[in-house]
Amino acid sequence: MCGIVGAVGQYDMTPILLEGLKRLEYRGYDSCGVAVHAEGALKRARSTQRVAELAKQVETEGIEGRTGIAHTRWATHGAPATHNAHPHFSGQGGESRIALVHNGIIENHDELRAELTGKGYVFESQTDTEVIAHLVDHLYEGDLFKALQSAVLRLQGAYAIAVFCRDEPHRIVGARQGSPLVVGLGEGENFLASDALAVAGTTDQIIYLEDGDVADLQLTRVAIVDAGGQPVERQVHTVHLHTAAADLGPYRHYMQKEIFEQPRAVADTLQDIESISPELFGDGAQAVFKEIDRVLILACGTSYYAGLTARYWIEAVARLPVDVEIASEYRYRESVPSPRTLVVTISQSGETADTLAALKHARNLGMEHSLTICNVATSAMVRECKLHYITRAGVEIGVASTKAFTTQLTALCLLTLVLAQVKGQSTAASEEKLLKDLRHLPVAIGAVLALEPQIISWAERFASKEHALFLGRGMHYPIALEGALKLKEISYIHAEAYPAGELKHGPLALVTEAMPVVTIAPNDELLEKLKSNMQEVRARGGELYVFADSDTRIASGDGMHVIRMPENYGKLSPILHTIPLQLLAYHTAVARGTDVDKPRNLAKSVTVE
């Protein structure tokens, strides 16, 4: 979600701060800013434009400093406006001495705002962040580290904080609770960031702060205390992040690039697996999988649709009952827990606040067996779960998820095979068949990508529409949901998805010639019923756009537009049918001229509730 970069060094840090913000742009934001310690005073620049515009402002105003913080903000409290943009300053007597940035939400900000207003502080923004800045200033008695330690004791909610003080020119202090924050170690310089990618190329020595940690960064030392105020040593990780991932190459947008990276991402996620084994998911997986008799999947957004697809696989192949819950809803309802449940979380970033909270809720209910499917090996989700499988999608910059989704599905298919093996529900032959199909996936995805020219012609028709309907049946219904989500995310066309059998129970009332109906039509046991549902659309004058397997005997005609998929892929068909829906959404958005990689109001990594 919001992005933080902080740096303290022996030369001008503003280029590092601005470069860090550029690398965090993929998270989504609606304002940005930078503040530095400059000749005994605080200077800042803020903008509601892109980071590139902020960089021009910094250059024009000659903002330089050896200590500084920077931020990209996704609005929660207060509109996207310059006065609400971070960093926020605080100080009394007309001079600012505290500069602070913050990710997260402070739940008791109204109470603190009233208290600080009574002490003479004047608020210039509607943000909860400015409350923290004034609180730190109020508690400051010459030691910024102690002031922040005292301040966080008063905060309720989630936060990642970076702050520096006019009176301590070579020091930055940070704190974390429920929102990611890392320390980057250098020679004569140190860094804070919400994502290690922000400091990639500057340092590869990373410390992942734990909840409750407060960190003190100076030129040649870093000190950390835990939630109890006790000094702690956190492990230093060597993290090699490929900054080349930020290069567009021949593509127009990162989303297009990432769609075409899917054959490689799926191949990397499979890691040249030669056989199915519980140990693919970590030490002790065999014992855990033998113990469980049901599965609970917790996720949000696109990851939730991956979970819905996995339910079809796991129940059909491994014969285990599966519940799939939207993480933000699960933690707030009364459910019936079972200690023999495997709790599976799915997250691209591994820092999704709602999913982390749902995982902790499940654990508090007595469900200790946990596994995560995640794209970031060093994330909080991986640390919280006993078992894990790391997808290898690489850095995904486009806000609308593509390769993260298909690699999640790949990992979930592997999980299905392992659970079926442990539960005695598979044979050596059936196992080998599915594994062979998985290995062939990268080639099969490449063949689907070759359909792009045909999909572009559809997108030109979709560009003038304002509504669309997506239909699927069985395990392709979640893929229809994902297709509708992609279209609405980046083209701003209102799109809904339904199981095709539900048409006559309400959605059919929406169907007119102005409403394109996208249909996923694999050659499976539900095909004939799906054809009947399609006829219901045609009888009402609806225009059908059908992605059909080659042997479905569905032909193009009046009101019936068909693109044929290269091959039928059985149980892995949902993965292949995802690809054309991604391309349709992408090219429709391009035709409409929207900001494909940074759609309005959305953030990449949702680290607040």
Side-chain angles (χ1 to χ4, degrees):
M1 218 161 182
C2 305
I4 289 174
V5 190
V8 53
Q10 302 180 60
Y11 54 93
D12 179 26
M13 292 284 111
T14 52
I16 288 175
L17 296 174
L18 292 169
E19 179 61 28
L21 289 190
K22 289 177 184 176
R23 293 190 182 152
L24 295 179
E25 284 191 289
Y26 75 94
R27 287 172 171 253
Y29 64 102
D30 41 44
S31 64
C32 51
V34 61
V36 298
H37 190 286
E39 300 176 355
L42 305 184
K43 289 187 177 180
R44 71 179 168 188
R46 298 184 291 178
S47 175
T48 56
Q49 304 301 311
R50 293 300 180 194
V51 172
E53 294 302 314
L54 177 69
K56 292 178 183 177
Q57 185 179 339
V58 167
E59 182 179 1
T60 299
E61 297 178 12
I63 295 175
E64 296 183 354
R66 299 180 181 183
T67 301
I69 52 179
H71 191 263
T72 52
R73 174 179 184 254
W74 186 80
T76 53
H77 296 75
T82 303
H83 68 279
N84 286 326
H86 301 208
H88 288 287
F89 283 178
S90 180
Q92 292 187 314
E95 291 190 13
S96 298
R97 66 175 177 179
I98 297 294
L100 184 143
V101 295
H102 156 241
N103 292 350
I105 293 177
I106 304 304
E107 295 172 356
N108 60 332
H109 69 97
D110 282 336
E111 172 191 331
L112 291 171
R113 181 184 290 262
E115 176 186 332
L116 291 161
T117 300
K119 295 182 183 299
Y121 286 94
V122 177
F123 285 81
E124 298 178 352
S125 76
Q126 289 80 49
T127 68
D128 51 347
T129 300
E130 191 179 4
V131 169
I132 312 173
H134 291 325
L135 181 61
V136 170
D137 182 78
H138 172 63
L139 296 170
Y140 183 73
E141 296 179 347
D143 188 328
L144 185 63
F145 190 47
K146 290 183 179 178
L148 186 58
Q149 283 182 274
S150 299
V152 297
L153 296 176
R154 301 285 313 278
L155 303 180
Q156 298 172 15
Y159 53 79
I161 297 168
V163 56
F164 72 92
C165 178
R166 177 199 63 196
D167 301 336
E168 299 179 69
H170 302 297
R171 190 183 209 185
I172 292 178
V173 180
R176 171 196 172 151
Q177 179 65 49
S179 195
L181 194 65
V182 305
V183 174
L185 304 178
E187 294 291 332
E189 58 188 19
N190 289 299
F191 310 93
L192 269 179
S194 52
D195 187 323
L197 181 65
V199 292
T202 302
T203 180
D204 60 2
Q205 300 298 293
I206 301 296
I207 296 172
Y208 294 89
L209 297 179
E210 302 288 340
D211 276 352
D213 284 355
V214 182
D216 181 8
L217 281 67
Q218 300 184 40
L219 288 174
T220 58
R221 65 183 291 269
V222 170
I224 302 171
V225 298
D226 62 16
Q230 298 302 307
V232 290
E233 295 287 336
R234 298 295 185 207
Q235 183 179 354
V236 179
H237 301 264
T238 300
V239 178
H240 298 294
L241 292 169
H242 301 291
T243 56
D247 296 332
L248 270 174
Y251 300 100
R252 292 181 63 182
H253 300 92
Y254 288 110
M255 183 178 178
Q256 185 187 28
K257 176 176 183 277
E258 288 154 9
I259 288 171
F260 277 84
E261 286 175 341
Q262 287 175 111
R264 170 52 54 194
V266 168
D268 289 346
T269 294
L270 290 169
Q271 309 176 75
D272 299 320
I273 292 170
E274 295 298 328
S275 61
I276 297 301
S277 166
E279 282 65 38
L280 291 171
F281 293 87
D283 295 338
Q286 172 88 16
V288 170
F289 294 161
K290 280 184 173 293
E291 175 70 18
I292 60 104
D293 59 16
R294 67 186 304 111
V295 177
L296 169 63
I297 297 176
L298 303 172
C300 301
T302 287
S303 296
Y304 171 69
Y305 299 147
L308 289 178
T309 307
R311 176 169 62 187
Y312 286 92
W313 289 338
I314 295 171
E315 292 196 339
V317 178
R319 309 304 299 168
L320 285 170
V322 180
D323 295 312
V324 188
E325 298 265 6
I326 296 173
S328 58
E329 289 293 315
Y330 171 71
R331 60 185 291 213
Y332 292 115
R333 74 175 185 84
E334 293 186 15
S335 56
V336 182
S338 167
R340 293 174 62 86
T341 298
L342 176 65
V343 180
V344 177
T345 63
I346 310 172
S347 171
Q348 188 279 135
S349 68
E351 304 288 350
T352 309
D354 284 320
T355 308
L356 281 167
L359 171 63
K360 292 175 183 177
H361 176 67
R363 185 176 297 136
N364 290 337
L365 292 176
M367 294 184 283
E368 292 294 329
H369 301 311
S370 58
L371 180 152
T372 190
I373 307 292
C374 184
N375 194 42
V376 182
T378 52
S379 65
M381 202 80 71
V382 174
R383 296 195 298 272
E384 288 284 340
C385 289
K386 293 182 179 180
L387 304 173
H388 62 263
Y389 193 92
I390 306 302
T391 57
R392 286 168 171 76
V395 175
E396 190 177 65
I397 292 175
V399 166
S401 181
T402 52
K403 60 180 179 173
F405 180 64
T406 48
T407 54
Q408 286 171 351
L409 289 175
T410 302
L412 288 162
C413 188
L414 281 174
L415 177 62
T416 299
L417 284 171
V418 169
L419 290 174
Q421 180 188 82
V422 172
K423 296 300 181 182
Q425 296 295 329
S426 63
T427 64
S430 65
E431 200 173 278
E432 180 57 33
K433 170 67 168 61
L434 261 177
L435 188 55
K436 181 181 178 182
D437 288 346
L438 274 172
R439 293 194 192 104
H440 182 62
L441 260 180
V443 174
I445 291 172
V448 178
L449 289 169
L451 299 173
E452 186 179 34
Q454 298 176 59
I455 295 170
I456 290 173
S457 69
W458 281 13
E460 291 168 352
R461 299 175 191 169
F462 271 66
S464 62
K465 306 298 183 181
E466 293 302 326
H467 307 277
L469 196 62
F470 286 68
L471 301 178
R473 296 205 70 150
M475 61 185 176
H476 292 84
Y477 165 52
I479 304 306
L481 287 166
E482 172 64 8
L485 177 63
K486 285 292 154 287
L487 188 67
K488 73 181 79 168
E489 278 182 312
I490 61 172
S491 74
Y492 313 145
I493 293 172
H494 168 245
E496 294 187 60
Y498 284 92
E502 281 292 291
L503 266 180
K504 63 181 71 69
H505 297 289
L508 202 56
L510 297 171
V511 172
T512 69
E513 61 183 13
M515 167 86 81
V517 180
V518 180
T519 307
I520 304 169
N523 189 6
D524 60 16
E525 66 277 6
L526 292 171
L527 177 62
E528 293 307 316
K529 293 186 180 299
L530 179 66
K531 287 181 178 178
S532 297
N533 302 139
M534 291 164 59
Q535 288 306 313
E536 293 168 356
V537 172
R538 285 299 303 125
R540 275 77 182 177
E543 292 273 321
L544 282 160
Y545 293 80
V546 186
F547 291 105
D549 285 349
S550 57
D551 51 358
T552 55
R553 299 189 304 281
I554 298 174
S556 295
D558 183 35
M560 179 83 77
H561 313 280
V562 179
I563 290 178
R564 299 200 177 282
M565 299 288 285
E567 58 183 305
N568 180 292
Y569 220 60
K571 283 193 164 49
L572 298 183
S573 173
I575 300 177
L576 290 191
H577 276 276
T578 295
I579 311 301
L581 299 180
Q582 294 172 347
L583 287 168
L584 178 62
Y586 170 74
H587 285 291
T588 301
V590 169
R592 287 169 69 94
T594 64
D595 192 341
V596 173
D597 289 328
K598 305 179 187 72
R600 67 189 182 203
N601 304 332
L602 299 180
K604 182 66 176 175
S605 179
V606 185
T607 54
V608 297
E609 183 182 351

